[in-house]
Amino acid sequence: ETERSSYSADGTPNWRQFFYYDEDGENCIRIVEYNDYWDDGMYHRISEWDGNWNSLGYSILEYKWDGTVKKISKYDADGNLLEETDGNGNPIELTVVEVTNDEGVLFKLELDDTNNVVRQKYYVDGELKGRNEVTYTESGAVDRIAFYNANGVFVGHVFYNYKDGVMTYSYENA
């Protein structure tokens, strides 16, 4: 096992990378843990790759600031959601709504039990082009939107801030 890490100036971990090798030291599983912080808590992504950097899938854990787990999402190598549970391990059931716009782009919207869009996938000519994932504050306002390309690679996110009745946002590339 080998580990590499990156930390911010205040000592907060940004990411850690682990390499696990077989007995011959040739085949490898790579696991990368990535942390992201926002007003309502922390986002922790654990990705797995084989020795040739082929994705084996990933998990996303969302934490509240008190350290409790808010949600766990597990994805396959293509970025398809396999399972989603709340902090107590109970399955989260999503409703899928399909909408096609005038240009023929198909949007698959995944709604939670309060009808908030938590995930949006979009397709052109039947081919997945990307997806967005939306997180909300405890009060139900949009907290951030994360953007992923068709291969499930994180490309950036928008953070929303609310103060004195005014909403502002900022965008950050990966």
Side-chain angles (χ1 to χ4, degrees), residues 56-93:
L56 301 175
Y58 59 95
S59 297
I60 295 176
L61 292 81
E62 292 182 33
Y63 295 92
K64 299 178 185 178
W65 279 119
D66 66 6
T68 59
V69 175
K70 182 177 178 180
K71 180 170 68 171
I72 300 173
S73 306
K74 295 181 182 179
Y75 297 86
D76 67 14
D78 296 321
N80 298 306
L81 180 66
L82 299 175
E83 176 184 47
E84 203 159 53
T85 58
D86 65 17
N88 296 318
N90 301 315
I92 297 174
E93 300 297 328

Side-chain angles (χ1 to χ4, degrees), residues 121-136:
K121 295 179 183 178
Y122 51 100
Y123 301 79
V124 175
D125 296 327
E127 182 180 340
L128 177 66
K129 293 297 182 179
R131 79 171 191 278
N132 307 328
E133 295 186 4
V134 183
T135 58
Y136 297 87

Side-chain angles (χ1 to χ4, degrees), residues 4 27 31 37 42 45 52-55 69 104 106 110 113 136-137 150 166 169 173:
R4 293 189 313 190
N27 296 314
I31 298 177
Y37 303 89
M42 183 183 90
R45 177 179 170 141
N52 296 315
W53 284 103
N54 296 308
S55 176
V69 175
L106 170 64
E110 297 179 24
D113 59 355
Y136 297 87
T137 65
V166 176
Y169 64 91
N173 289 320

